[in-house]
Amino acid sequence: DIQMTQSPSSLSASVGDRVTITCRAAQSITNYLNWYQQKPGKAPKLLISAASSLQSGVPSRFSGSGSGTDFTLTISSLQPEDLATYYCQQSDSAPPTFGQGTKLDIK
Amino acid sequence: QVQLQESGPGLVKPSETLSLTCTVSGDSMSSYYWSWVRQSAAKGLEWIGRVQISGFTIYRPSLRSRLTMSVDESRHQVSLELTSVTAADTAVYYCAGVSAGASDLLHFDTWGPGIFVTVSS
């Protein structure tokens, strides 16, 4: 299984801040990297696929970048509704695996 | 837009079989590949397996000996059976799908709300 490691595990930021979450794969996954947002008590929601492809309806303040083993999710201007835990997931090979999550709090 | 709803018992006894159903509405089942994903505090998000409308399955290797997934297109349902459960199988279980036409079939672009299953006597 390909291990996915996210950092930080948690972070607190203010409305309007630029927030960056990183995800590292234990081996190259080219661009088979997806980002999910999970709000408390809800199912995960796909935000970004193929490392940088924003899903329909997702605000443009979210963006993804990276390839190979290192990837980044950026929120350009944090909003109160972005309170959630964010997960990366590799889809390069089965079994698909997730990072441990980054819990984002709003100051 | 496709909608998913998981159903089944919330409590299963150790050594018994966990059986869950995902009811699909709003789109053709054949337009998707269907997965089950579970989430626990101990293991985080964990992919269980995937089933196609053809019946072809891919299972997580560590669960393969205990797992059966199937699709009933006439009933708009995806099913999961996990035998010989232990406390380690306690988790929220999600039904999830990916468009069959996607170039990447190992991600999940639609999810059900999930169902919490406890394994306890």
Side-chain angles (χ1 to χ4, degrees):
Chain A
D1 300 6
I2 299 177
Q3 184 174 352
M4 306 299 293
T5 303
Q6 289 180 233
S7 62
S9 296
S10 63
L11 72 99
S12 184
S14 300
V15 172
D17 282 354
R18 182 180 182 89
V19 172
T20 298
I21 298 169
T22 63
C23 177
R24 175 164 289 177
Q27 64 190 67
S28 177
I29 55 172
T30 58
N31 71 332
Y32 288 96
L33 191 283
N34 311 289
W35 290 99
Y36 298 84
Q37 176 192 63
Q38 186 176 33
K39 295 186 175 182
K42 302 294 186 182
K45 172 188 173 183
L46 180 64
L47 295 179
I48 290 170
S49 63
S52 61
S53 180
L54 198 67
Q55 296 302 291
S56 175
V58 175
S60 59
R61 64 180 179 274
F62 290 92
S63 64
S65 64
S67 66
T69 60
D70 294 312
F71 301 86
T72 299
L73 173 69
T74 299
I75 307 173
S76 61
S77 179
L78 189 66
Q79 299 301 303
E81 59 267 30
D82 300 335
L83 167 72
T85 300
Y86 294 84
Y87 294 93
C88 62
Q89 177 244 327
Q90 67 83 15
S91 49
D92 178 75
S93 62
T97 47
F98 294 83
Q100 82 278 14
T102 296
K103 186 176 181 181
L104 176 55
D105 287 329
I106 311 295
K107 284 182 185 175
Chain B
Q1 186 170 351
V2 67
Q3 293 187 324
L4 312 179
Q5 181 65 58
E6 303 88 348
S7 59
L11 179 65
V12 182
K13 290 182 168 57
S15 79
E16 295 191 345
T17 297
L18 183 162
S19 297
L20 298 176
T21 298
C22 172
T23 301
V24 180
S25 60
D27 202 350
S28 170
M29 291 194 69
S30 61
S31 298
Y32 296 84
Y33 286 13
W34 302 106
S35 283
W36 287 93
V37 178
R38 66 183 181 181
Q39 185 173 29
S40 64
K43 297 183 180 179
L45 286 162
E46 181 180 53
W47 175 78
I48 297 171
R50 189 184 78 194
V51 60
Q52 300 169 208
I53 203 71
S54 63
F56 182 76
T57 54
I58 303 176
Y59 294 154
R60 185 176 196 84
S62 60
L63 298 174
R64 186 176 293 133
S65 64
R66 300 193 290 132
L67 183 61
T68 303
M69 294 175 58
S70 61
V71 175
D72 186 335
E73 193 172 9
S74 65
R75 302 181 71 176
H76 305 282
Q77 291 181 338
V78 184
S79 297
L80 173 148
E81 286 195 348
L82 185 65
T83 63
S84 304
V85 297
T86 70
D89 295 309
T90 294
V92 177
Y93 285 75
Y94 295 103
C95 176
V98 61
S99 298
S103 57
D104 168 11
L105 298 174
L106 288 176
H107 76 286
F108 317 103
D109 51 31
T110 188
W111 296 69
I115 182 169
F116 183 53
V117 179
T118 302
V119 178
S120 175
S121 55

